[in-house]
Amino acid sequence: MLQDLRDKYTERSTPADGKKRLAVFRMGGFGDLLMATSCLPWLKSQGWHITFFCSRRHSQAVWHDPNIDNFVPVDMGQCSDAQHGEMIRTALSEYDAVLNLSDTCEGTSLQNPDRAAYWWPAKARRAVFGGVSYLGLIALLAGCEKDQLLERFYPTADETAWARRTKAGRNLLVSCSGSGVHKWYPHLGQVLAHLLHWLSDLHIWTVGETSMFKPFAKHDRLHQVQHEWKLRQSMTFATQADIVLGPETGLMHAVGHLPMAKVLLLSHSSAQNIGDDWINCQTVSPDPVKAPCHPCHRMHRVKDFCEVLPSGAALCADSIAPMDVVRAVNRAHLKLEERLCA
């Protein structure tokens, strides 16, 4: 099966030239792939020739990662749990080593309904999973230290040049939503209005799915490009922005270890899981009184166990106070001012 997949799906191939050959597996979303590839620079420095197997649908997030020698994006229909296990067993006999990074978030610190821990009391889930760093687990599996990881997106030179031409003064990029009901923030329009009023030098760019929002009020410094830009454009622009704001989405992972300011809106994860390991990142949590469910450490592919309000927003997202978000962006903006003065 593994050879069939390589024959059918390999999109980039570089000869090993005598180097030790490592097969790395990560099936998952955009952010999952960016977390997984954070260990590749270190592995590359250890002399490994790296073949990366990942889900095709999300592979564009890591298309141009210079640490990947052979790139094999796989259709998820070709990779059930049983097939995934078969691929890894085969790889163990064909490569010098295999690193399986699938389920390093979902299925471990974020439980699926088919796992016993999904049904544990919230207090127990938080005690066991709340302090687990997603990146720390990847470092443990890869055999390196957490500070040796580099989580980031790699744009091409042309993509970077486009983003630099597109920028206008100081720039805040806003990721409007993510992969689940708990990853869209219903008060975003209110936050943007405050920021546009108070920060007169800030241009705001909105990307991602916005169909669940009321239309944002038009403003000459609000650039609503969510229907124009593709994913790689959004991630590239994020690498050039001054501040990036959003929920737990792939776009935030694209700049995790880059120096720009980040404001991360938490939902099913804790700050120790995600955010605390990033550079220059503020995490904003739901109000614990209004949303005692946070953090739930659960995957929500259906809404059965995630309380959804009439607005369509999850309780945790709705319970993040707009002014907490505004103040976090203001603090990031103030640091820009201080750096300019210095």
Side-chain angles (χ1 to χ4, degrees):
M1 178 185 178
L2 197 66
Q3 185 60 52
D4 291 342
L5 289 172
R6 282 195 299 252
D7 291 343
K8 183 176 181 180
Y9 294 120
T10 297
E11 292 191 353
R12 183 166 75 243
S13 181
T14 303
D17 292 333
K19 293 181 179 178
K20 299 176 294 181
R21 297 169 65 241
L22 172 67
V24 180
F25 291 84
R26 189 22 162 147
M27 305 300 156
F30 298 120
D32 299 323
L33 299 190
L34 289 164
M35 280 191 283
T37 53
S38 66
C39 66
L40 300 190
W42 182 81
L43 290 167
K44 198 75 173 170
S45 74
Q46 303 305 299
W48 288 102
H49 177 274
I50 297 171
T51 299
F52 190 65
F53 294 83
C54 65
S55 45
R56 173 176 293 279
R57 179 184 173 191
H58 304 101
S59 61
Q60 60 179 301
V62 295
W63 272 348
H64 298 287
D65 189 321
N67 304 292
I68 297 173
D69 298 297
N70 291 353
F71 186 52
V72 189
V74 178
D75 289 333
M76 291 304 289
Q78 297 284 329
C79 195
S80 66
D81 287 345
Q83 290 168 318
H84 191 267
E86 181 185 341
M87 289 166 61
I88 291 173
R89 282 193 296 272
T90 304
L92 286 167
S93 65
E94 296 189 10
Y95 290 83
D96 296 294
V98 173
L99 176 59
N100 179 26
L101 296 176
S102 294
D103 287 0
T104 43
C105 293
E106 70 286 11
T108 50
S109 296
L110 293 172
Q111 292 292 305
N112 285 312
D114 60 351
R115 305 295 178 97
Y118 187 93
W119 306 101
W120 289 356
K123 183 177 180 180
R125 293 196 305 272
R126 289 171 190 148
V128 175
F129 307 123
V132 177
S133 160
Y134 298 156
L135 289 178
L137 179 55
I138 289 169
L140 180 65
L141 293 169
C144 64
E145 299 299 322
K146 191 165 60 174
D147 61 6
Q148 293 174 306
L149 301 178
L150 179 60
E151 186 182 10
R152 60 157 299 172
F153 169 76
Y154 293 92
T156 65
D158 286 346
E159 287 172 329
T160 298
W162 163 82
R164 289 173 175 167
R165 291 194 306 269
T166 304
K167 284 170 48 173
R170 290 185 179 168
N171 297 268
L172 165 67
L173 182 66
V174 180
S175 177
C176 294
S177 61
S179 57
V181 65
H182 51 295
K183 294 186 181 181
W184 77 272
Y185 181 53
H187 310 301
L188 186 57
Q190 184 178 342
V191 168
L192 298 183
H194 278 288
L195 294 174
L196 289 166
H197 177 71
W198 288 345
L199 304 177
S200 59
D201 63 340
L202 193 66
H203 284 256
I204 300 176
W205 306 75
T206 57
V207 297
E209 178 57 52
T210 58
S211 61
M212 65 287 290
F213 293 98
K214 294 179 180 178
F216 300 134
K218 292 184 178 180
H219 192 286
D220 60 0
R221 286 185 287 109
L222 177 60
H223 311 278
Q224 302 182 56
V225 294
Q226 57 268 20
H227 301 301
E228 302 171 25
W229 291 3
K230 297 181 179 179
L231 177 87
R232 286 192 62 87
Q233 288 178 288
S234 297
M235 288 189 172
T236 298
F237 195 87
T239 68
Q240 301 300 313
D242 299 291
I243 308 169
V244 184
L245 162 67
E248 301 175 36
T249 66
L251 189 107
M252 301 300 294
H253 287 280
V255 293
H257 283 156
L258 295 181
M260 73 286 296
K262 290 162 279 287
V263 177
L264 175 65
L265 309 182
L266 295 173
S267 55
H268 55 178
S269 303
S270 68
Q272 291 81 12
N273 295 148
I274 181 175
D276 281 2
D277 294 325
W278 287 350
I279 295 171
N280 197 12
C281 179
Q282 301 176 70
T283 55
V284 186
S285 300
D287 185 315
V289 175
K290 295 179 179 178
C293 53
H294 170 79
C296 65
H297 302 292
R298 283 173 158 173
M299 294 293 289
H300 295 294
R301 294 188 172 91
V302 295
K303 301 177 183 178
D304 295 1
F305 303 101
C306 182
E307 184 173 351
V308 178
L309 303 178
S311 66
L315 177 63
C316 58
D318 186 77
S319 300
I320 295 177
M323 291 312 298
D324 286 350
V325 182
V326 171
R327 281 190 284 268
V329 175
N330 275 334
R331 285 191 292 270
H333 185 269
L334 182 59
K335 286 186 178 180
L336 293 174
E337 293 283 352
E338 291 173 347
R339 196 156 58 240
L340 181 64
C341 293

